Amino acid sequence: MRPLSQIISLALFAGSYTLGAVLPAKRATTCNGHPELCNRSFGNVTFFGSHDSFAFSDDPIALARDQEVDIPTQLGLGVRLLQAQAHMKDGQLHFCHTNCDLFDGGTVEDYLKTVKTFLDANPNEVITLIFTNPEGASLPDQWKPAFDNSGITQLAYVPPSIPVPQSSWPTLGQMIDSGTRVVVFLDAGADGSDGGVVDFILPEFPMIWETPFSVTDPNFPCTVDRIQGPLSTSDHMYMINHSLNVNIIPIGAGVIVSDPEAAPVTNSVTSIVANSNGCAPLSGNRAPNFVLLDFVNIGQGLQAVNQLNGFA
């Protein structure tokens, strides 16, 4: 006969094993600040976006800036789409506005480390990254190491196939539960045309169409500016470039810069919702997936996005 102490130990082990076997998988109950979004697909959510998110400065003389506040502040304001433009500088990938002499936002790796800090502190948030690659930097050699070294690679979502129709994305809850809650899009090169593919860096335009950028008309007339692939506009997600620019030297090619003076009106609920309504006929009467703004700390960007998501 076994000693009493051994019988008790075996019983405790068996009990703990049984309990472990039947515990349900963890499920997110609040996603991007709203319980209702946990059961909503990524392709059916509107995200608050920051245009040229790296190009922040509180200096009004810095004409190349498109934001006034830094990345942690932008994320704290509710931004869940970060957009940025990359250029090579001294053998490293930097986020720069047009070129690195005009505005250098630092290395992509350091930028991504800042985003990772937010993600670690906010485990129930899904973030989208839409980056541009105008110089055709190599995905395996330049882009992937920046993601790997920042720690974001392990959090990036990899779809089963590309393109993903708007209606076929997982829910935010599923993405959070699986630990893959960062979606990365690149405007050029992700299809392998620039020397290799990386499975979590997704080609943007086969899955997202955009309205025109560098807009100077405050009415934001809606047209499809960029789109690729076999999917229709209604099967794509889409982004409205809702940032107003002003031509400060209206001769020749002119010089277009963002207009902070107009931001309170541009970033109002009225203006953003009107732009969304103008695009609805092109998208199967859906709200935009991404609302991209300059000066996200000015106006009512988050309030407008909440309204588009169906929240008061």
Side-chain angles (χ1 to χ4, degrees):
M1 185 174 179
R2 294 178 184 272
L4 180 60
S5 60
Q6 189 174 0
I7 294 172
I8 292 172
S9 296
L10 288 170
L12 289 172
F13 175 80
S16 64
Y17 178 81
T18 302
L19 287 171
V22 300
L23 285 175
K26 180 189 71 174
R27 295 193 63 188
T29 56
T30 300
C31 303
N32 285 33
H34 296 275
E36 300 91 336
L37 292 181
C38 289
N39 292 323
R40 197 179 298 183
S41 79
F42 177 83
N44 195 31
V45 174
T46 301
F47 295 90
F48 182 17
S50 172
H51 171 238
D52 280 339
S53 55
F54 65 92
F56 56 85
S57 173
D58 59 5
D59 182 359
I61 300 177
L63 295 180
R65 67 175 184 154
D66 284 325
Q67 302 296 336
E68 291 185 339
V69 295
D70 62 14
I71 302 301
T73 303
Q74 292 175 32
L75 292 168
L77 290 169
V79 166
R80 293 297 177 267
L81 159 67
L82 295 169
Q83 188 272 343
Q85 181 183 126
H87 295 266
M88 294 299 297
K89 178 182 178 181
D90 300 328
Q92 287 187 299
L93 202 59
H94 283 232
F95 281 137
C96 301
H97 195 172
T98 307
N99 64 66
C100 294
D101 292 331
L102 186 62
F103 196 110
D104 185 355
T107 67
V108 172
E109 181 176 324
D110 285 344
Y111 175 102
L112 292 174
K113 286 178 178 178
T114 299
V115 176
K116 178 63 160 52
T117 298
F118 174 84
L119 289 164
D120 289 343
N122 297 273
N124 285 345
E125 301 295 320
V126 175
I127 286 183
T128 306
L129 305 174
I130 297 182
F131 297 151
T132 67
N133 190 29
E135 296 173 3
S138 166
L139 272 69
D141 298 335
Q142 300 295 339
W143 284 98
K144 188 175 186 299
F147 280 93
D148 291 347
N149 294 337
S150 70
I152 287 186
T153 296
Q154 62 188 355
L155 300 177
Y157 176 72
V158 180
S161 62
I162 296 174
V164 183
Q166 172 270 332
S167 60
S168 298
W169 288 85
T171 67
L172 298 196
Q174 289 169 332
M175 297 173 76
I176 290 168
D177 290 343
S178 67
T180 54
R181 53 195 179 93
V182 179
V183 185
V184 184
F185 294 101
L186 198 66
D187 72 332
D191 58 358
S193 59
D194 290 320
V197 297
V198 173
D199 60 359
F200 65 85
I201 301 179
L202 312 179
E204 178 187 0
F205 298 121
M207 290 176 276
I208 300 171
W209 61 264
E210 294 188 14
T211 62
F213 57 94
S214 297
V215 176
T216 57
D217 182 347
N219 294 312
F220 292 97
C222 188
T223 58
V224 178
D225 188 55
R226 290 176 288 181
I227 189 170
Q228 294 175 354
L231 299 180
S232 67
T233 55
S234 59
D235 283 329
H236 276 68
M237 296 183 289
Y238 75 101
M239 177 166 72
I240 56 173
N241 287 299
H242 195 80
S243 51
L244 189 64
N245 296 267
V246 59
N247 195 343
I248 60 172
I249 305 180
I251 57 174
V255 175
I256 302 292
V257 299
S258 56
D259 188 354
E261 296 299 322
V265 174
T266 301
N267 295 353
S268 68
V269 171
T270 299
S271 181
I272 293 169
V273 170
N275 193 354
S276 172
N277 291 340
C279 288
L282 300 173
S283 65
N285 291 315
R286 290 183 293 105
N289 298 89
F290 309 104
V291 175
L292 199 64
L293 303 181
D294 288 334
F295 307 110
V296 295
N297 61 308
I298 300 174
Q300 303 165 305
L302 182 60
Q303 184 178 338
V305 166
N306 283 340
Q307 183 169 317
L308 292 173
N309 276 320
F311 306 127

